[in-house]
């Protein structure tokens, strides 16, 4: 049986996945996590064959979490199940060490097929994203925020959600000063004159927080 750690902060998603896996004799739930800290705790203490990972959770998440998992659990298959279908986000997840990438609007059969393939050492990418990668290729114009570091992108997304510096510091477990430094740096890199420009950019480009 493939023991899957479900990492998603939406209870309805986790419940749906549990019900789906209950219909598959070869798939089981090794545990559930609602944030990056719980993911790492589960991986330290339990037997997991595959991590099914949402890209946007509280605390360490996304690319940063994938890199952390890859550093400490190098052989563990990681399949991203995300609401984001942007090619650049998929590329960053795969570059960080994910073995596969699916969007949450995929069908149940597609998901179970991807889990089995990734768990057996293969790779699986949402066919729609692969198609865009092939046809858009290197000519695709990357959005300006791709020049930011992973941490700066995360803070940009959280600021765009209206989070305060104090709230971001608490969520990411870093100091207020560090958040302020990152904010100042990304404002400069992105040539934002004020918070209104930042908020407008995040809304327009659907930057993940």
């Amino acid at each position: 049986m493939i023991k899957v750690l479900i990492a998603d902060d939406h209870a309805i998603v986790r419940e749906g996945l549990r019900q789906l896996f209950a219909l598959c004799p070869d798939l089981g739930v090794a545990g559930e996590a609602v944030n990056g800290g719980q993911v790492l705790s589960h991986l330290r203490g339990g037997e997991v064959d595959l991590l099914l990972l949402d890209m946007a959770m509280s605390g360490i998440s996304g690319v940063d979490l994938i890199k952390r998992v890859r550093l400490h659990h190098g052989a563990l298959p990681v399949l991203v199940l995300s609401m984001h279908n942007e090619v650049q986000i998929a590329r960053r997840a795969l570059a960080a060490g994910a073995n596969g990438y699916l969007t949450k609007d995929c069908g149940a059969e597609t998901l179970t097929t991807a889990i089995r393939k990734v768990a057996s050492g293969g790779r699986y990418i949402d066919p729609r994203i692969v198609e865009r990668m092939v046809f858009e290729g290197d000519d695709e114009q990357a959005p300006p925020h791709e020049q930011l570091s992973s941490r700066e992108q995360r803070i940009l997304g959280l600021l765009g959600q209206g989070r305060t510096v104090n709230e971001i510091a608490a969520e990411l477990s870093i100091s207020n000063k560090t958040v302020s430094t990152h904010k100042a740096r990304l404002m400069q890199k992105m040539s934002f004159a004020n918070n209104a420009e930042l908020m407008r950019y995040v809304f327009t480009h659907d930057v993940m927080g």
Side-chain angles (χ1 to χ4, degrees):
M1 177 177 287
I2 301 170
K3 299 177 181 177
V4 181
L5 173 59
I6 301 172
D8 196 294
D9 57 359
H10 290 90
I12 192 168
V13 173
R14 299 194 306 275
E15 175 62 27
L17 290 170
R18 283 198 305 271
Q19 292 179 7
L20 172 61
F21 295 165
L23 300 175
C24 303
D26 61 331
L27 301 180
V29 178
E32 299 179 20
V34 300
N35 56 53
Q38 289 186 6
V39 169
L40 297 174
S41 178
H42 273 291
L43 294 182
R44 284 192 298 267
E47 184 180 346
V48 177
D49 297 317
L50 180 139
L51 171 60
L52 187 61
L53 179 67
D54 182 26
M55 286 288 283
M57 299 185 294
S58 61
I60 181 174
S61 68
V63 169
D64 289 337
L65 181 55
I66 294 171
K67 288 180 177 178
R68 185 80 64 88
V69 170
R70 192 54 65 224
L71 177 64
H72 297 288
H73 308 276
L76 179 69
V78 177
L79 175 60
V80 172
L81 183 62
S82 173
M83 64 178 288
H84 297 278
N85 63 1
E86 291 87 348
V87 170
Q88 290 297 329
I89 293 177
R91 281 178 172 157
R92 288 178 68 86
L94 295 168
N99 304 90
Y101 192 102
L102 282 177
T103 55
K104 288 184 177 178
D105 59 353
C106 71
E109 185 175 351
T110 299
L111 175 58
T112 54
T113 296
I115 289 174
R116 293 181 181 113
K117 185 171 182 179
V118 170
S120 65
R123 295 172 71 84
Y124 195 100
I125 305 174
D126 190 311
R128 295 163 298 180
I129 294 178
V130 172
E131 182 177 2
R132 289 170 58 197
M133 286 178 173
V134 170
F135 286 101
E136 294 172 359
D138 294 334
D139 293 333
E140 181 184 10
Q141 182 63 43
H145 66 270
E146 287 295 325
Q147 67 182 299
L148 302 176
S149 68
S150 297
R151 176 54 60 84
E152 287 169 346
Q153 286 195 42
R154 183 82 198 283
I155 290 175
L156 173 62
L158 292 171
L159 288 168
Q161 294 174 14
R163 305 285 187 89
T164 66
V165 168
N166 289 344
E167 290 171 341
I168 295 172
E171 177 159 339
L172 301 183
S173 300
I174 57 180
S175 70
N176 296 2
K177 182 178 180 181
T178 299
V179 175
S180 296
T181 299
H182 281 303
K183 179 182 178 182
R185 188 174 299 143
L186 71 87
M187 293 282 286
Q188 181 178 27
K189 287 182 179 179
M190 297 292 292
S191 299
F192 293 143
N194 49 52
N195 286 337
E197 289 188 4
L198 183 152
M199 299 282 283
R200 186 162 54 248
Y201 181 91
V202 170
F203 177 78
T204 302
H205 292 81
D206 192 24
V207 180
M208 204 170 36

